[in-house]
């Protein structure tokens, strides 16, 4: 954890001179660079795992203290057409493109749901139902994570080039980037408002894993292949705490004068989480995923990004 925090501190300082990049993006880049030049001590792994997951969730909950529950509900419901549309594009194209590329059904399903919903978390949830091989799970996670890193780096510059507003970029990032960490990082790099908007859209999207897993269970039950599902581990409980935080803010328990400090602390926690992800990332391992899974991931990634923009334009959002 100290290693991740140290990288985040350097990134926060460097962000003063590269404001368009932002601390979270610099943190993951510095983390990857650090891992490339030095081996990772085994004793660092538990702290890095805690930082990349639990600290990120804490940052999301903390950011809820600067929002009102009314705004969260309005944003989540108001952006559902874009969220549902982009998810549908990924889920429909994954089996078609994956079959054309000659990929096995489990790999197609895992990459598709990872791109559609929330990266590694969705992959793990669906894997608990369809029971793929360990190598297939690792392949899907590596593929989706590769494009998570790419999204953090390329989405903000594209947003600026398209002259997107804070809300437009937040909706695009929240509906088109795979993993929660990358969504939050890209959003807050673009701006505080974009970060908050992207977080709400992403959390709304993450809840869709529940009906998707339930649907898979129902289909497998018809074929006699259903099993008991560990719902306690699949439900994204931190989303409920985010809503509680927004409720506390909307009730006036959290003063508006605290919002600035809350935003600074949340951004630093996000940078720490991204630093941990970067330090834990082996680029060579990601590239070993192979051309066909990477091709499927790239096709879905681009299709979801473009469909999100198209639906925004058609619906006027």
């Amino acid at each position: 954890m100290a290693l991740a925090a140290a990288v985040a501190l350097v990134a926060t300082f460097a962000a003063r001179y590269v404001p368009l990049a932002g601390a979270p993006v610099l943190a993951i880049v510095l983390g990857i660079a650090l891992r490339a030049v030095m081996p990772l001590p085994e004793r660092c792994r538990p702290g890095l795992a805690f930082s990349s997951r639990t600290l990120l969730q804490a940052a999301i909950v903390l950011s809820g203290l600067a929002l009102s529950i009314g705004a969260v509900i309005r944003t989540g419901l108001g952006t559902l057409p874009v969220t549902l549309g982009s998810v549908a594009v990924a889920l429909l194209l994954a089996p078609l493109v994956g079959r054309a590329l000659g990929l096995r059904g489990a790999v197609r399903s895992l990459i598709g749901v990872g791109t559609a919903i929330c990266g590694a978390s969705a992959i793990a949830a669906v894997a608990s139902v369809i029971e793929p091989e360990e190598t297939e799970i690792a392949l899907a996670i590596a593929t989706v994570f590769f494009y998570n890193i790419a999204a953090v780096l390329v989405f903000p510059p594209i947003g600026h080039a398209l002259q997107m507003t804070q809300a437009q970029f937040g909706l695009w990032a929240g509906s088109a980037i795979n993993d929660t960490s990358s969504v939050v990082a890209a959003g807050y790099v673009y701006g505080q408002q974009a970060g908050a908007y992207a977080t709400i859209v992403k959390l709304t999207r993450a809840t869709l894993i529940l009906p998707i897993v339930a649907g898979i269970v129902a289909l497998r039950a018809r074929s006699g292949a259903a099993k008991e599902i560990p719902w306690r581990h699949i439900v994204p409980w931190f989303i409920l705490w985010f809503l509680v935080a927004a409720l506390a803010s909307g009730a006036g328990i959290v003063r508006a004068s605290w919002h600035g400090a809350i935003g600074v602390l949340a951004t630093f926690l996000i940078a720490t989480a991204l630093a941990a992800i970067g330090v834990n990332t082996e680029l060579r391992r990601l590239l070993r995923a192979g051309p066909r899974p990477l091709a499927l991931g790239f096709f879905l990634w681009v299709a979801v990004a473009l469909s999100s923009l198209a639906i925004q334009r058609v619906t006027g959002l």
Side-chain angles (χ1 to χ4, degrees):
M1 289 178 65
L3 175 61
V7 174
L9 279 173
V10 173
T12 300
F13 178 78
R16 297 180 179 180
Y17 302 95
V18 195
L20 288 180
V25 171
L26 292 176
I28 195 170
V29 170
L30 290 174
I32 292 173
L34 183 63
R35 178 61 184 276
V37 299
M38 64 171 282
L40 179 65
E42 194 64 31
R43 64 181 181 273
C44 288
R45 294 188 185 277
L48 291 174
F50 178 85
S51 299
S52 62
R53 183 172 180 83
T54 307
L55 283 188
L56 176 68
Q57 293 177 351
I60 291 172
V61 173
L62 188 64
S63 68
L65 294 174
L67 302 170
S68 71
I69 189 66
V72 170
I73 294 173
R74 284 194 302 272
T75 300
L77 294 178
T79 58
L80 268 180
V82 178
T83 300
L84 294 175
S86 59
V87 167
V89 165
L91 294 179
L92 290 173
L93 289 180
L96 299 176
V97 179
R99 191 178 295 112
L101 291 171
L103 290 170
R104 291 185 58 182
V107 175
R108 299 196 303 259
S109 298
L110 294 176
I111 293 177
V113 78
T115 303
I117 308 296
C118 51
S121 299
I123 290 172
V126 171
S128 68
V129 178
I130 65 176
E131 298 178 309
E133 297 177 3
E134 289 293 327
T135 53
E136 292 175 323
I137 297 174
L139 193 64
I141 289 176
T143 299
V144 171
F145 189 72
F146 181 84
Y147 292 107
N148 285 333
I149 295 174
V152 172
L153 300 176
V154 305
F155 265 58
I158 292 175
H160 287 296
L162 295 176
Q163 297 182 335
M164 301 179 78
T165 66
Q166 293 282 307
Q168 288 170 342
F169 183 83
L171 177 53
W172 187 41
S175 60
I177 299 178
N178 306 337
D179 196 70
T180 303
S181 59
S182 300
V183 170
V184 174
Y188 277 100
V189 164
Y190 203 79
Q192 286 289 328
Q193 185 183 350
Y197 209 91
T199 299
I200 296 169
V201 174
K202 178 58 182 176
L203 297 187
T204 303
R205 180 177 161 202
T207 61
L208 296 177
I209 191 58
L210 302 177
I212 286 175
V213 170
I216 294 173
V217 171
L219 290 174
R220 289 177 68 84
R222 293 177 61 183
S223 62
K227 55 172 287 189
E228 185 177 350
I229 307 303
W231 291 109
R232 185 168 63 87
H233 300 295
I234 292 176
V235 175
W237 295 106
F238 75 97
I239 296 178
L240 297 179
W241 289 111
F242 172 80
L243 295 175
V244 170
L247 186 62
S249 178
I253 298 174
V254 179
R255 297 179 182 177
S257 59
W258 298 355
H259 290 179
I262 289 172
V264 171
L265 179 56
T267 301
F268 180 74
L269 289 178
I270 293 166
T272 303
L274 269 289
I277 291 172
V279 173
N280 228 356
T281 299
E282 293 182 75
L283 282 180
R284 286 178 298 179
R285 185 179 177 185
L286 292 181
L287 294 174
R288 283 201 299 267
R292 289 185 298 171
L294 286 176
L296 175 59
F298 178 76
F299 187 92
L300 295 180
W301 186 54
V302 173
V304 169
L306 293 179
S307 65
S308 173
L309 290 175
I311 297 170
Q312 280 193 56
R313 186 170 183 83
V314 170
T315 59
L317 289 172

